């Protein structure tokens, strides 16, 4: 029929097969092929029924996201039209689903008259995660099949539903063991021979009628999602469309859906979220470590140190079913650490996100020791001791002696030189950094820091480890702060300067929060604790270049014993038992005093200036990092910032956002700011170059 859609006639049942690996995306060619196959099957009088299925791993992963925004070749049928054709067919059409039927793929299935699935199949409408909505009838057919609460949950949250649940909800009609296409063909024959009625989702009414005249259902839903979906456009558009399914006839609901889809697909938010989708997949690709690189086994692990980080890292292994030995210098430290782990699990159990049984099982995978000799057989060790080079070197020396020669030794440093740590061993090729983000059992990001001598095998194994423990691993190079924190410093530095010049913490935090970050830098500092940074700054004081501006505001806050939430006060104050930051006149007065002492005439600092002074230097630092080859690509930096720092996904990460703002604009502003405020703000050469070429980071 075509290269990407085949048609076969099985004694009167036409089997239409999508053949477009890897995900049977419904791109231009597939749609053209599908239209031809449908027409041929309809015109063929020997065909009495149709089965639609997918070749390979799945039914279909949906519309081809890469083609969004491109004009289709002349004559390419739009997906909604094809689905209408399928649904309108007088001959029964059965969807035979295996693997996944997602997005447009799920919508094709919803257009079929019957949906059969394998036991391990999953279906869903994840469009919202791409900043769009199901645009081929999904927002109108799904509510008619499953009712409003379930449809809202599916469409607004983009949830994937396993076959069993899909059956219970009424998305699919049956689960079949064995060959799904054979079962669908048999079902089709039965429909014909028994003259069974054709059921079209668009014609169903009972489940939507129930919700008619109850606008509060939708208003309440919007309220419940307000916080979670803050800043995102698509989830709210999804709710509007489901509401339209309730209040409008199908044909009119579809018009609403189409209009909202068009609006969203052209939006910057959707561009950003689609970028995020591909960036997450790019991140696993390392040019000099091809997919064929052999990896070492990861059957057992050890973590050195059972403080906050070590405990969280150990939990990651246990959660993934990997037995982990936790080492500490004393039994007392182990007991304390394990107690925290137990409490963490118990909190999850009390929230019903984990069963007691699962908790016990996970805890049983964590063993403890105070003896390096017990680490002789583990496959991988993650060191998470105090951030001190001498200590880390000592630990690595001991690990090198104690662990089997093939074991990988990883350091969870956030600031120290991985190469120097590796030099303390006789296996620098097996040493690598694994920078987890706090809390390590929650945060998805792992910056995997490639040392000068880390072997391709070690890198491939650690990237595999990230995946095995449910993290997003991004490969970076060795530098102070690695990629994420180095950029963070650039932004935090400017925000402190702004305090000296005229802003206050609450104002800066509001601007950054409104931009879409989970919290501003000061609330964030209070949450993370201010003392560690203070200690590091004290250590660095002697080597600080005297000609570069340095703000002492943060040091003065710490001198007051205000280390953040843990001491009840930091940049803000906190009421007993509350995590809500409250502006504190003590800090505001302190800032005013420091401004005066340093000769600043305080001025009104505008919100736009705050945004530019904080975010542009962040991008600028990202450009330096790219130029130095410490991140593989701009989109890797975006992944780091989305997963490690909560950079809003609807902005696609700092480098993608920079392209949206315009690199030229950022370069011009940085040049002006550099003239006004000095060296820290010098534009990166790469920023200058791509601005001059009229390009963006996307073009690198
Ligand atoms: C939609 O359907 C809109 C409609 O409502 C309305 C239209 C009018 N397009 O994830 P993987 C690529 S919107 C293009 O590693 P897995 C992916 O980039 C769509 N490319 O495999 C990767 O490429 P590469 C709604 C796609 O087995 C390769 O395929 N659908 C698409 O771990 C393998 O991907 C979704 O949101 C696509 N739709 O997981 C589903 N999907 O090798 C999005 C994947 O070059 N997709 N690629 O890096 C997924 O969630 C997963 O890919 C899936 C397979 C679960 C399907």
């Amino acid at each position: 029929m075509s290269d990407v859609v085949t048609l076969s006639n099985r004694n009167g049942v036409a089997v239409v097969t999508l053949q477009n690996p890897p995900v049977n995306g419904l791109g231009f060619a597939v749609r053209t092929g599908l239209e031809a196959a449908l027409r041929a099957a309809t015109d063929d009088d020997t065909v009495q029924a149709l089965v639609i299925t997918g070749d390979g791993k799945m039914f279909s992963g949906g519309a081809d996201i890469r083609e969004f925004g491109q004009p289709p070749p002349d004559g390419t049928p739009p997906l909604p039209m094809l689905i209408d054709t399928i649904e309108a067919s007088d001959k029964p059409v059965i969807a035979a689903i295996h693997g996944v039927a997602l997005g447009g793929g799920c919508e094709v299935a919803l257009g079929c008259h019957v949906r059969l699935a394998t036991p391990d199949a999953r279906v869903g409408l994840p469009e919202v995660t791409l900043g769009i909505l199901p645009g081929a009838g999904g927002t109108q057919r799904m509510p008619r099949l499953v009712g409003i609460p379930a449809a809202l949950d599916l469409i607004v949250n983009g949830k994937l539903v396993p076959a069993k649940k899909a059956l219970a909800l009424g998305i699919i009609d049956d689960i079949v063991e064995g060959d799904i296409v054979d079962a669908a063909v048999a079902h089709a024959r039965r429909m014909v021979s028994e003259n069974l009625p054709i059921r079209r989702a668009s014609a169903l009414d009972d489940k939507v009628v129930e919700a008619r005249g109850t606008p509060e259902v939708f208003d309440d839903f919007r309220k419940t999602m307000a916080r979670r979906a803050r800043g995102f456009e698509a989830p709210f558009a999804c709710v509007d469309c489901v509401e339209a399914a309730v209040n409008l006839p199908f044909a009119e609901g579809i018009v609403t859906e189409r209009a909202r889809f068009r609006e969203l697909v052209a939006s910057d938010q959707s561009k950003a979220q689609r970028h995020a989708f591909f960036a997450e997949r790019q991140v696993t690709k390392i040019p000099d470590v091809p997919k064929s690189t052999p990896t070492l086994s990861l059957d057992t692990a050890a973590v050195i140190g059972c403080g906050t980080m070590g405990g969280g890292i150990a939990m990651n292994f246990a959660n993934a079913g990997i037995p982990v030995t936790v080492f500490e210098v004393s039994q007392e430290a182990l007991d304390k650490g394990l107690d925290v782990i137990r409490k963490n699990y118990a909190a999850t159990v009390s929230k019903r996100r984990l069963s007691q049984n699962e908790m016990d099982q996970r805890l049983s995978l964590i063993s403890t020791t105070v003896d390096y000799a017990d680490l002789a057989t583990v496959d991988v060790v993650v060191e998470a001791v105090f951030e001190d080079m001498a200590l880390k070197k000592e630990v690595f020396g001991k690990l090198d002696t104690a662990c089997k020669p093939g074991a990988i030794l990883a350091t969870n440093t956030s600031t120290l030189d991985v190469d120097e740590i590796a030099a303390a061993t006789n296996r620098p090729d097996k040493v690598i950094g694994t920078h987890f983000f706090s809390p390590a059992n929650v945060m998805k990001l792992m910056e995997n820091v490639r040392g000068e001598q880390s072997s391709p095998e070690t890198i491939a194994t650690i990237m595999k480890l990230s995946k095995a423990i449910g993290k997003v691993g991004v490969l970076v190079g060795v530098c102070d702060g690695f990629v994420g924190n180095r950029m963070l410093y650039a932004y935090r530095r400017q925000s402190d300067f702004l305090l000296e010049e005229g802003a206050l913490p609450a104002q800066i935090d509001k601007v950054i929060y409104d931009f879409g970050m989970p919290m501003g830098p000061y609330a964030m500092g209070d949450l993370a604790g201010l003392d560690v940074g203070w200690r590091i700054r004290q250590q660095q004081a002697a080597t600080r270049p005297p000609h570069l501006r340095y703000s002492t505001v943060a040091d003065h806050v710490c001198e007051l014993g205000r280390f953040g939430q843990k001491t009840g006060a930091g940049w803000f104050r906190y009421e007993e038992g509350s995590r809500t930051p409250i502006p504190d006149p003590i800090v505001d007065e302190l800032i005013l005093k420091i401004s005066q002492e340093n000769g600043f005439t305080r001025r009104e600092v505008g919100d736009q200036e705050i945004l530019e002074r904080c975010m542009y230097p962040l991008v600028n630092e990202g450009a330096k990092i790219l130029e130095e080859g410490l991140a593989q690509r701009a989109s890797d930096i975006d992944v780091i910032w989305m997963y490690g720092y909560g950079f809003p996904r609807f902005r696609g990460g700092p480098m993608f956002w920079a392209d949206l703002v315009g690199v030229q604009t950022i370069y011009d502003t940085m040049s002006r700011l550099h003239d006004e405020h000095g060296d820290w703000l010098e534009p990166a050469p790469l920023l200058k170059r791509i601005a001059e070429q009229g390009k963006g980071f996307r073009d690198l």
Side-chain angles (χ1 to χ4, degrees):
M1 182 47 52
S2 83
D3 288 350
V4 286
V5 181
T6 61
L7 177 67
S8 65
N9 190 331
R10 288 211 203 169
N11 284 338
V13 178
V15 178
V16 178
T17 307
L18 310 178
Q19 272 185 345
N20 186 25
V23 302
N24 290 327
L26 302 162
F28 302 141
V30 170
R31 278 161 21 218
T32 304
L34 186 55
E35 183 183 46
L38 291 173
R39 192 177 315 118
T42 313
D43 292 349
D44 185 342
D45 291 339
T46 67
V47 169
Q48 294 175 300
L50 289 82
V51 167
I52 300 181
T53 189
D55 191 31
K57 280 190 345 190
M58 64 191 76
F59 183 80
S60 170
D64 188 331
I65 310 163
R66 283 175 221 270
E67 289 179 358
F68 285 174
Q70 287 179 34
D74 280 348
T76 308
L79 190 60
M81 195 192 90
L82 278 179
I83 295 173
D84 288 347
T85 308
I86 292 170
E87 196 183 48
S89 166
D90 294 331
K91 304 178 184 181
V93 189
I94 324 289
I97 303 168
H98 74 294
V100 294
L102 298 183
C106 182
E107 291 171 298
V108 167
L110 297 183
C112 295
H113 306 137
V114 174
R115 285 156 293 280
L116 303 182
T118 55
D120 58 354
R122 287 175 303 156
V123 299
L125 296 170
E127 283 89 340
V128 71
T129 61
L130 299 167
I132 53 175
L133 50 77
T139 66
Q140 305 304 299
R141 289 193 178 91
M142 189 62 94
R144 288 176 161 79
L145 283 168
V146 303
I148 301 312
L152 283 173
D153 188 32
L154 283 164
I155 297 170
V156 177
N157 299 323
K159 274 194 187 153
L160 265 58
V161 189
K164 211 166 145 193
K165 185 160 180 215
L167 180 64
L169 285 172
I171 306 173
I172 61 169
D173 300 290
D174 207 356
I175 297 176
V176 286
E177 306 277 351
D179 189 281
I180 185 73
V181 178
D182 288 349
V185 169
H187 190 95
R189 288 218 174 91
R190 202 164 50 249
M191 283 190 75
V192 173
S193 63
E194 294 175 20
N195 203 13
L196 296 178
I198 283 177
R199 180 171 176 260
R200 296 183 173 88
S202 67
L204 303 175
D205 213 17
D206 53 325
K207 293 213 164 120
V208 289
V209 166
E210 269 172 27
R212 209 160 282 161
T214 56
E216 63 279 6
V217 171
F218 295 95
D219 293 340
D220 290 350
F221 192 84
R222 285 186 186 96
K223 275 184 211 141
T224 62
M225 66 191 255
R227 217 170 126 217
R228 218 171 352 117
R230 179 175 67 92
F232 287 87
E233 290 157 6
F236 296 94
C238 287
V239 180
D240 294 348
C241 287
V242 176
E243 190 165 18
V246 168
N247 296 321
L248 299 174
F250 181 82
E252 286 175 40
I254 283 286
V255 174
T256 303
E257 178 193 272
R258 199 74 209 135
R260 300 303 296 271
F261 177 83
R262 286 217 172 97
E263 215 173 272
L264 289 176
V265 89
S267 69
D268 283 348
Q269 287 210 350
S270 170
K271 286 180 195 142
Q273 287 174 251
R274 271 137 52 194
H275 163 79
F277 175 85
F278 290 115
E280 282 163 8
R281 282 158 180 81
Q282 276 293 100
V283 106
T284 57
K285 296 177 181 131
I286 307 162
D288 63 334
V289 184
K291 282 255 179 294
S292 56
T293 308
T295 54
L296 302 167
S297 57
L298 289 167
D299 298 329
T300 52
V303 175
I304 311 300
C306 200
T308 317
M309 278 319 266
I313 295 168
M315 287 174 75
N316 287 323
F317 284 112
N319 296 347
I322 301 173
V324 55
T325 307
V326 182
F327 172 94
E328 258 296 354
V329 281
S330 71
Q331 190 56 45
E332 195 193 342
L334 279 175
D335 293 344
K336 212 170 127 197
L338 265 210
D339 204 40
V340 175
I341 292 179
R342 246 179 247 116
K343 281 192 182 128
N344 274 337
Y345 277 133
T348 317
V349 170
S350 70
K351 286 181 205 145
R352 292 167 178 268
R353 293 211 300 258
L354 193 73
S355 71
Q356 183 62 45
N357 211 355
E358 285 166 323
M359 166 174 164
D360 296 342
Q361 209 173 358
R362 290 177 194 198
L363 280 173
S364 74
L365 290 171
I366 304 177
S367 56
T368 58
T369 186
V370 291
D371 187 354
Y372 277 102
D374 288 339
L375 310 180
T377 58
V378 296
D379 295 322
V380 60
V381 183
V382 178
E383 162 279 311
V385 303
F386 192 67
E387 201 69 342
D388 176 279
M389 183 53 94
L391 176 64
K392 298 227 181 211
K393 280 174 150 172
E394 185 193 322
V395 169
F396 270 72
K398 287 185 177 154
L399 287 172
D400 194 28
T401 312
C403 297
K404 64 182 181 191
I408 291 184
L409 309 181
T411 169
N412 175 50
T413 179
S414 54
T415 48
L416 300 175
D417 184 345
V418 175
D419 292 323
E420 198 178 334
I421 297 173
T425 73
N426 290 313
R427 58 176 100 185
D429 59 313
K430 295 220 156 45
V431 176
I432 193 162
T434 47
H435 180 207
F436 287 83
F437 284 64
S438 185
N441 53 318
V442 177
M443 296 297 287
K444 293 265 281 179
L445 180 67
M446 250 173 103
E447 275 184 327
N448 294 333
V449 191
R450 154 185 217 159
E452 197 128 292
Q453 297 194 51
S454 309
S455 71
E457 212 179 42
T458 301
I459 294 170
T461 307
I462 285 298
M463 293 301 281
K464 181 176 84 172
L465 172 72
S466 300
K467 197 169 173 207
I469 61 174
K471 304 280 169 191
V472 177
V474 185
L475 193 67
V476 302
V478 175
C479 66
D480 186 19
F482 309 126
V483 171
N485 281 346
R486 180 170 151 184
M487 289 168 73
L488 181 76
Y489 302 152
Y491 138 69
R492 282 292 291 104
R493 197 177 287 125
Q494 293 304 318
S495 67
D496 284 2
F497 292 166
L498 284 169
L499 294 182
E500 293 176 333
E501 290 167 37
L504 290 173
Q507 185 197 1
I508 294 180
D509 269 16
K510 181 170 185 318
V511 172
I512 299 299
Y513 178 80
D514 288 347
F515 176 75
M517 298 291 285
M519 54 184 94
Y522 297 104
M524 179 55 114
D526 280 356
L527 176 67
L530 306 175
D531 46 334
V532 177
W534 186 34
R535 210 167 26 231
I536 293 171
R537 290 196 299 278
Q538 283 167 334
Q539 283 165 6
Q540 294 171 338
T543 53
R544 195 172 295 135
H547 66 283
L548 287 175
R549 180 174 168 189
Y550 176 79
S551 168
T552 55
V553 182
D555 299 338
H556 284 294
V557 171
C558 287
E559 278 161 24
L560 298 175
R562 301 174 69 114
F563 296 154
Q565 285 190 22
K566 60 184 169 189
T567 56
W571 290 102
F572 299 102
R573 68 181 181 85
Y574 298 85
E575 311 240 285
E576 187 74 35
S578 158
R579 289 174 171 273
T580 309
I582 305 168
D584 192 339
I586 297 175
V587 172
D588 295 356
E589 276 160 30
L590 176 75
I591 291 169
L592 263 51
K593 188 166 145 266
I594 295 167
S595 293
Q596 199 181 25
E597 283 170 6
N598 289 300
F600 289 100
T601 308
R602 288 183 70 81
R603 62 186 170 85
E604 188 88 10
V605 178
D607 289 355
Q608 182 62 21
E609 179 181 353
I610 290 176
L611 191 68
E612 290 172 2
R613 275 286 285 282
C614 291
M615 289 297 164
Y616 290 5
L618 182 100
V619 169
N620 195 49
E621 200 65 34
K624 290 184 195 163
I625 284 169
L626 280 174
E627 189 136 58
E628 291 166 33
L630 298 164
Q632 297 192 93
R633 41 184 96 81
S635 63
D636 282 14
I637 297 181
D638 289 333
V639 172
I640 288 174
W641 269 81
M642 285 186 285
Y643 283 99
Y645 303 85
F647 199 94
R649 199 174 170 88
F650 60 79
R651 298 198 192 274
M655 309 316 276
F656 183 84
W657 174 72
D659 280 351
L660 286 179
V661 172
V663 171
Q664 182 73 52
T665 304
I666 296 188
Y667 171 70
D668 291 345
T669 311
M670 285 300 295
S671 302
R672 176 175 53 77
L673 291 173
H674 181 219
D675 292 344
E676 288 168 10
H677 301 283
D679 283 350
W680 285 119
L681 294 165
E682 185 173 6
L686 178 66
L687 192 72
K688 180 167 192 256
R689 206 164 57 241
I690 52 181
E692 279 168 0
Q693 292 169 349
K695 292 185 173 167
F697 289 105
R698 76 181 88 82
D699 303 309
L700 292 177

